[in-house]
Amino acid sequence: MIPADHPRYRSLALREHLARCAREGIVALEGLTAHGRGEAFDYLFGEETSPAALRAERIAAALLLSAEHPVISVNGNTAALAAGLLGGLQEASGAAVEVNLFHRTTERMEKITRLLEDHGVRVLGGEPERLLPLSHDRALCLQAGIGSADVVLVPLEDGDRCQALCSMGKTVIAIDLNPLSRTARSADLTIVDELTRAIPAITRFCREIDRDEMQALSKGFDNRELLAEAVRDIIRRLEHALD
Ligand code: PTJ
């Protein structure tokens, strides 16, 4: 039991929640280490959303709204951390939600789908096919979902799959606290922010922006510059770390 007055209460409570989700088979054991890497980067950002991340979240909203067939790809970590937030994003953006796992088993697919549905998310169902240019079960996805999507939001994605989606001509939006990762560098748009801050921000912007802003934002952005800004944020914080 974590004392509510512990200065790191939120972080410790999240860890406890993820560990429970791992025991229940929702989060892969590897997902716990991925979370640890995310935490370390978030520490470097002062555990807050930077102005560059906020700009990326607004652009993400524009890309989702201007898409013909947007899809949110959900893995174990994303479901465990944000099941309660994804229904709002689905409703505000009009995106379909597909469960797509790196460590894929039928049991995990079912458990994650149930968790999302319990939180009001409408999850695409159907027979997966090997549509992504990858070996291994990571190639599997739904033709009616990621297979035919023009814009895909991939929170906490692995680099290979991100590159595979880009190579298929899809516009890929990644959420990744590590601005140096292959995912961050190969996505069309990278939101360098913590997932549970990023999802509500994108949802809010989906409700806020009008058609003109949507068109302007979805064309005029430079992901390299957004990533460079994230790296500069880290450098600035490190320079003042011991002040
Ligand atoms: O549930 P599965 O089977 O699909 O597996 C999911 C994991 C996360 C294990 C899989 O996709 C994986 O191995 O991912 P990677 O390659 O470790 O990448 C995860 C990235 O997400 C890392 O760069 C982390 O910095 C970042 N990250 C972790 N937690 C968060 C995060 N970014 C934003 N918010 C977080 N909460």
Side-chain angles (χ1 to χ4, degrees), residues 26-28 30-31 34-35 37-39 41 75-77 81 100-104 108 112 156-159 175-178 181 193-196:
I26 287 166
V27 169
E30 294 82 351
H35 180 76
R37 183 189 296 167
E39 269 189 333
F41 274 99
N75 63 14
N77 286 47
L81 291 171
N100 208 282
L101 303 182
F102 188 119
H103 306 282
R104 188 181 184 110
R108 283 190 71 221
I112 292 167
L156 283 61
E157 184 60 293
D158 80 283
I175 301 176
D176 191 336
L177 277 159
N178 177 3
S181 73
D193 197 8
E194 204 282 320
L195 176 78
T196 62

Side-chain angles (χ1 to χ4, degrees), residues 22-234:
R23 282 192 290 274
E24 287 170 4
I26 287 166
V27 169
L29 284 181
E30 294 82 351
L32 297 179
T33 59
H35 180 76
R37 183 189 296 167
E39 269 189 333
F41 274 99
D42 207 20
Y43 216 88
L44 296 175
F45 289 109
E47 297 175 317
E48 56 186 40
T49 302
S50 69
L54 207 60
R55 215 158 54 242
E57 283 152 2
R58 211 168 172 94
I59 298 167
L63 289 174
L64 288 169
L65 290 175
S66 54
E68 272 178 31
H69 182 29
V71 173
I72 306 167
S73 175
V74 176
N75 63 14
N77 286 47
T78 303
L81 291 171
L85 303 172
L86 288 168
L89 179 58
Q90 177 170 50
E91 189 260 326
S93 66
V97 169
E98 175 171 343
V99 177
N100 208 282
L101 303 182
F102 188 119
H103 306 282
R104 188 181 184 110
T105 64
T106 308
E107 200 189 353
R108 283 190 71 221
M109 291 293 293
E110 286 170 2
K111 284 184 177 171
I112 292 167
T113 300
R114 207 171 319 127
L115 174 69
L116 293 170
E117 287 177 345
D118 286 349
H119 284 83
V121 179
R122 290 182 312 287
V123 180
L124 279 177
E127 264 313 299
E129 298 169 54
R130 290 187 181 278
L131 300 174
L132 305 189
L134 290 170
S135 59
H136 174 259
D137 283 353
R138 289 179 303 155
L140 289 170
C141 65
L142 298 172
Q143 177 53 37
I146 290 171
S148 53
D150 52 349
V151 174
V152 194
L153 173 65
V154 287
L156 283 61
E157 184 60 293
D158 80 283
D160 272 9
R161 255 182 40 107
C162 182
Q163 284 173 334
L165 291 167
C166 292
S167 77
M168 293 168 80
K170 299 176 190 305
T171 299
V172 178
I173 307 167
I175 301 176
D176 191 336
L177 277 159
N178 177 3
L180 307 173
S181 73
R182 273 185 313 132
T183 297
R185 291 154 60 104
S186 47
D188 294 281
L189 174 70
T190 308
I191 298 166
V192 184
D193 197 8
E194 204 282 320
L195 176 78
T196 62
R197 296 195 300 269
I199 300 281
I202 306 170
T203 305
R204 177 159 61 87
F205 293 141
C206 280
R207 296 190 173 125
E208 246 175 57
I209 60 179
D210 63 23
R211 206 174 172 75
D212 288 346
E213 187 181 0
M214 181 183 94
Q215 280 170 352
L217 283 174
S218 55
K219 293 202 178 72
F221 67 92
D222 178 350
N223 201 44
R224 287 267 142 193
E225 188 41 47
L226 289 166
L227 291 177
E229 191 51 42
V231 173
R232 285 195 288 269
D233 281 341
I234 292 177

